[in-house]
Amino acid sequence: MTRLDGWKVLNAGRGSDLVLAVDFATTGRSDSSFSDLAPLLGPELTVWETRQPDTGTGMSAAQYIELWAGEAEASGRPVRAVLGYCAGAVFAGELATRLAHRQQQRPALVVFDPEIPNPAGLDRDFAAMMDQFASVLSADEVAAARQAATAARADAPDFAAFGDALVATFREQAGAAFRREGLDADLMEEFAAVFRSFVSYLDAARQIDPTAAWRTAVAVNSRQRTEGALLAARSVDLPVDHVDLLRSRPTADAVGEAVGSLSAP
């Protein structure tokens, strides 16, 4: 198979159809991922998950879609379903629309806690990232980071600028802690680069209006139901916390019902 730059193969499968999953999956995050869900969908399926290109300066929404759709189309394989998690649901809708113009049947679209990126969500994601460093940062450093984030959110002229301010705050607070603990500064920069890439991914998603695509979708919702779910053609509400949504057996069953016999016994 041709090397894929935009996709990671979660399951090689045995059939010709593809299931494409859009997410910004990072090592160590608390949220479940499509790596957790793929084994629950059955070994016969070919499941690809998006990779985030290491561009440094970010990409536009059109560039993301061109990369992901282009490689899927070049494979010559029909896409059976497109899945999207949180902000990935925005890209998933656009990707399904693009693919629908290139193949005979529109892919099924399934979105999980679909969400249009906003400053409040980015603030929440920043707090979650800082929590990952609780063993390195002091309580005062965490508090200072949270105060800086609050001030940046009030002062930033737009979403991207807010993200830049959060990256700078992380470097300042985590950098001091890493130096104090004698940890590798390059490792801290790697974490900062991942967060910067995540901000770019979210900012690109904000360039897409997912309304029309989401009206064709099945939304699979956790207990923390998002406003985006209100736009879906059909919703499936599950008694599952957001962080566990993609590792849940009921979620796999809901996906199987939505797109047809995808769930493993």
Side-chain angles (χ1 to χ4, degrees):
M1 183 177 71
T2 303
R3 181 180 182 275
L4 298 172
D5 294 318
W7 296 99
K8 174 184 178 181
V9 178
L10 298 184
N11 188 4
R14 295 191 292 267
S16 61
D17 291 2
L18 295 176
V19 175
L20 304 179
V22 185
D23 186 20
F24 191 99
T26 57
T27 302
R29 79 175 191 184
S30 59
D31 286 16
S32 53
S33 71
F34 286 112
S35 293
D36 300 305
L37 183 63
L40 302 178
L41 297 180
E44 75 281 0
L45 287 172
T46 301
V47 182
W48 292 2
E49 180 187 56
T50 49
R51 293 183 188 272
Q52 309 309 316
D54 183 15
T55 61
T57 57
M59 294 169 60
S60 68
Q63 288 172 319
Y64 276 113
I65 296 299
E66 182 57 39
L67 171 64
W68 295 332
E71 289 191 346
E73 291 163 351
S75 74
R77 304 171 70 171
V79 176
R80 183 172 180 180
V82 182
L83 317 179
Y85 181 69
C86 290
V90 178
F91 289 113
E94 191 77 358
L95 184 59
T97 299
R98 157 76 179 260
L99 295 169
H101 293 309
R102 305 296 178 92
Q103 61 183 48
Q104 293 182 341
Q105 185 173 356
R106 183 183 181 90
L109 176 61
V110 185
V111 293
F112 305 83
D113 282 350
E115 185 174 62
I116 297 173
N118 57 56
L122 181 56
D123 199 0
R124 180 192 65 223
D125 293 331
F126 176 73
M129 184 181 71
M130 297 304 292
D131 286 344
Q132 293 183 26
F133 293 89
S135 62
V136 176
L137 298 169
S138 68
D140 287 343
E141 287 166 335
V142 172
R146 298 299 301 123
Q147 291 172 0
T150 299
R153 185 175 170 186
D155 295 341
D158 56 32
F159 185 89
F162 179 39
D164 289 340
L166 293 181
V167 173
T169 297
F170 172 76
R171 283 198 172 103
E172 179 181 352
Q173 298 299 331
F178 271 55
R179 288 190 295 272
R180 181 182 65 244
E181 299 294 331
L183 300 175
D184 188 351
D186 289 341
L187 180 61
M188 188 274 295
E189 283 299 323
E190 288 180 16
F191 282 112
V194 169
F195 188 68
R196 173 67 262 174
S197 180
F198 180 58
V199 172
S200 297
Y201 166 85
L202 296 180
D203 196 40
R206 285 167 59 86
Q207 300 167 17
I208 298 171
D209 180 357
T211 303
W214 284 0
R215 284 177 177 154
T216 71
V218 174
V220 180
N221 311 308
S222 70
R223 291 188 179 96
Q224 294 77 37
R225 203 174 196 262
T226 61
E227 291 185 7
L230 298 175
L231 296 174
R234 184 167 68 87
S235 276
V236 179
D237 296 325
L238 300 178
V240 176
D241 288 336
H242 174 75
V243 296
D244 295 321
L245 188 58
L246 296 183
R247 63 171 65 100
S248 163
R249 176 78 254 177
T251 300
D253 292 341
V255 174
E257 182 181 351
V259 300
S261 301
L262 293 186
S263 182

